[in-house]
Amino acid sequence: QVQVVESGGGLVQPGGSLRLSCAPSGRIFSFNAMGWYRQAPGKQRELVARITVGGSTNYADSVKGRFTISRDIAKNTVYLQLSSLKPEDTAVYYCNAATNSNNYWGQGTQVTVSS
């Protein structure tokens, strides 16, 4: 069973930055894609950013230009850099590792943007 572990959430003021980390138990190249999703209270979980095994990335319109997904092969870690944060970015952020037949989720990390 693949384990996915996120870290890096916290409380930040509007306009601030955070970096989230995601480390799966399998090699990141063993997954077709890895992504970050978020779920705010009372809302559905939504895709924030995704990176494929080939390195292609895509972002939700609401975070384009502010968030960046990247990976460090040597550390087997995927990152999500969050910048210019807004109160509406407040949510639990989940890392996902996807294969052709399975999706693996982390436990989530809380990001709260508030003054």
Side-chain angles (χ1 to χ4, degrees):
Q1 181 71 11
V2 174
Q3 304 294 320
V4 178
V5 180
E6 306 106 332
S7 61
L11 173 64
V12 62
Q13 292 186 341
S17 299
L18 281 175
R19 189 178 76 164
L20 308 183
S21 300
C22 172
S25 57
R27 299 300 300 173
I28 58 177
F29 279 155
S30 67
F31 304 107
N32 292 341
M34 294 195 66
W36 287 95
Y37 293 71
R38 67 185 180 188
Q39 188 167 17
K43 295 187 177 181
Q44 289 190 329
R45 191 173 296 188
E46 62 175 357
L47 174 67
V48 175
R50 184 172 175 266
I51 185 166
T52 69
V53 64
S56 298
T57 59
N58 62 288
Y59 297 89
D61 288 343
S62 60
V63 307
K64 283 181 181 177
R66 299 189 300 120
F67 292 7
T68 303
I69 190 169
S70 64
R71 62 191 180 189
D72 185 324
I73 305 305
K75 295 183 178 180
N76 202 53
T77 300
V78 174
Y79 301 100
L80 185 67
Q81 179 69 42
L82 294 72
S83 302
S84 302
L85 281 161
K86 305 175 181 180
E88 51 264 44
D89 294 317
T90 295
V92 178
Y93 284 70
Y94 296 92
C95 182
N96 171 269
T99 67
N100 285 334
S101 55
N102 284 296
N103 278 287
Y104 302 98
W105 294 92
Q107 79 287 352
T109 185
Q110 177 71 46
V111 172
T112 301
V113 185
S114 175
S115 55

